[in-house]
Each structure stands twice: as structure tokens, then as C-alpha cells.
Amino acid sequence: MNASDVAEQVHASNWLDHAIRAGLVAYGLVHLLVAWLALQLAFGEKADSASNSGALQLLAEQPLGEVLVWLVAGGMFLLVLWRLLEFAFGYPEVSDKAKRWRKRATSLGKAVIYGAIGWSAVKTATGDASKGGTDSTTAKLMQLSGGQLIVGAVGLAIIAYGISLVVRGWTEKFREHLDAQGQLGQEGSAYVLLGKVGYIAKGIAIGIVGGLFCYAAITHKAKKSGGLDQALQTVLEQPFGPVLLTAIAVGIAAYGLFCFARAKHLSR
């Protein structure tokens, strides 16, 4: 039996289901912490950065925080393993080859997202959290030949991802992530509502991040770009900003709770 056969067996194993559940719980926890930080921002309280890294830093400051951050890192890397196996062996039931590879490419993209959070967790746990930030990364891209186009393309890709989350939430396509039992009765209705609100709110927040990248590309000002924390700050600065930011924070919390529901009623 070669390495490919072993990897394919792991992808189909019950063990991987348990690993995915652990990772989804960690992912949900990160979203709940981001939502808490966003609520603090909405109510005018000085808080850590309302982002994944800020959430991990907040977690690290709690009792047994370093252990919890390491557990989050482990959970994220388990999700990376799942998505990489999905990229290599997933979706055999999809007959359309182009559609199958689009799905596999999406899995690869999600592996990158989970990996970034996992790496941020490792750096937080080891006391080596990055001081650079999104704007410094954007500034480096701006210095490249065609840098503005690259940053603009990144922004458009982020916007497209945000829109896809909104569409997935609105059409309730996320139901495919829950088994049949997880969609039945009042409990199932609550899970679906959490998913709907969560996906739409998260999609809006990510879309704003993409908009900031596009604005930075147009104005050639790297500091105009930013991550989730700057996107939420931008929401706060709008008319009725605290109300809008509170709604988004509640939505992000709903997404976190949906991750817990998905872990309980996993369907893949």
C-alpha cells in the first residue's frame, strides 16, 4: 500500500470525522471571541483588535490561556489536514470534472485560511505575535511591478468570497454541512437560523475587507487596506455604526455557534 492509498483511507475514516469536529469547535470558539471583541468596539469600550489574532490574544490572557491557544492551533491544523485530503481525494461523486476541481480548489483555499489562523495561534502561544499587520503586507505588494493590480485582484477575490458566503447563507446551501438529524424539529430550525444569520454577517464583514483592499489599490495607499478589525472599525464610523456593528457581531457569534452545531451533526 502506497502513501496515496493510506491518505485516501484516512480521508474516508471515522477518525477524521472526530478530528474535523475538534477543529470546528476551535473555529467556532475563535468566532465567538471575535464577536465579543466587536461588541466591545460597538459599545465604545477599548478592546483588543477585533480579528482572529485579537481573539487569540484575548484567549491567551485567560486562565490556562496558553494551553487553550495551543488547542485552537491543533484544531486548525486538523482542519487543514481535512481540507488538503479533500483537495486530493474529495468529491468523487461529482461527475463534472470542472466542477469537481472547482470544489477541490475551494477546499485548498479553506486549508490556507485555517492554516493562517493556526499559525497565528502558534505565534500567540509562543509570544511571537506578528507586529506587522495587513497594511505592511499590502505595502510590500504595492512595491512589486503591477502591485496595484495585484492588490486590486486580491480585493476582488475577497469580495467574491464574501458574496459567496452571503449567497450560501441566503439560499441555505450550508444545510449540506448538517446531517439529517441536525435539520429536524425546533433544534434543527435553530441551527439553520444560526447558519443563515452567521453566513450572511460573516460574508458582509469579509466583503468590507475586500473593499478596503480595492480602495487601497485605487488610491495607492497601503494603510487604506486592512483586515477584519479595520473593516469593523469602518462599519462603526458609518451612520448608525454602533447598531450595524452590533448586528454584525451577533451574526459572527451565530456563525461560531453554527460551527458547534456542525461539529455535533457533521456531514461531509
Side-chain angles (χ1 to χ4, degrees):
M1 183 180 294
N2 58 35
S4 178
D5 292 333
V6 173
E8 192 165 2
Q9 282 189 359
V10 170
H11 178 251
S13 69
N14 290 330
W15 173 87
L16 186 60
D17 285 346
H18 297 309
I20 293 168
R21 288 187 172 98
L24 287 171
V25 169
Y27 198 44
L29 176 60
V30 170
H31 279 81
L32 289 178
L33 291 171
V34 170
W36 172 244
L37 291 172
L39 276 176
Q40 287 185 304
L41 184 63
F43 286 100
E45 297 182 25
K46 183 174 176 60
D48 292 328
S49 170
S51 62
N52 293 330
S53 59
L56 292 168
Q57 189 60 50
L58 175 64
L59 185 61
E61 294 168 359
Q62 308 310 308
L64 299 177
E66 185 176 330
V67 174
L68 294 174
V69 173
W70 277 116
L71 288 175
V72 168
M76 290 299 98
F77 291 135
L78 287 173
L79 291 181
V80 170
L81 173 63
W82 168 38
R83 291 304 188 181
L84 290 178
L85 289 171
E86 204 170 56
F87 169 70
F89 307 107
Y91 312 107
E93 73 282 357
V94 180
S95 57
D96 187 319
K97 189 174 181 180
K99 184 177 180 180
R100 182 167 65 250
W101 278 104
R102 281 199 303 271
K103 284 180 170 290
R104 288 182 173 180
T106 299
S107 295
L108 183 61
K110 290 179 178 179
V112 173
I113 293 171
Y114 297 147
I117 297 174
W119 180 241
S120 180
V122 169
K123 295 179 77 174
T124 299
T126 57
D128 187 31
S130 174
K131 304 293 184 183
T134 306
D135 57 344
S136 63
T137 303
T138 307
K140 292 176 183 178
L141 288 175
M142 288 281 199
Q143 293 171 4
L144 299 176
S145 176
Q148 278 182 275
L149 292 177
I150 295 172
V151 172
V154 169
L156 291 175
I158 295 172
I159 291 173
Y161 178 55
I163 291 173
S164 73
L165 290 178
V166 172
V167 171
R168 178 171 284 269
W170 185 257
T171 60
E172 299 183 2
K173 191 177 179 183
F174 59 84
R175 282 175 176 263
E176 66 188 8
H177 297 317
L178 298 172
D179 61 19
Q181 185 179 357
Q183 301 182 48
L184 294 177
Q186 292 185 338
E187 189 177 77
S189 297
Y191 293 157
V192 171
L193 179 61
L194 287 172
K196 194 178 188 79
V197 172
Y199 272 90
I200 291 174
K202 184 177 179 180
I204 291 171
I206 288 175
I208 294 171
V209 173
L212 292 174
F213 270 82
C214 290
Y215 186 67
I218 293 170
T219 61
H220 205 282
K221 294 179 180 179
K223 289 187 177 181
K224 297 296 183 181
S225 70
L228 181 59
D229 54 341
Q230 189 163 339
L232 296 178
Q233 183 64 50
T234 299
V235 171
L236 184 62
E237 293 169 357
Q238 307 311 307
F240 304 104
V243 175
L244 295 173
L245 183 54
T246 298
I248 290 177
V250 170
I252 293 173
Y255 184 90
L257 293 174
F258 178 77
C259 288
F260 295 160
R262 187 177 173 187
K264 182 179 179 181
H265 296 284
L266 180 65
S267 176
R268 64 179 178 99

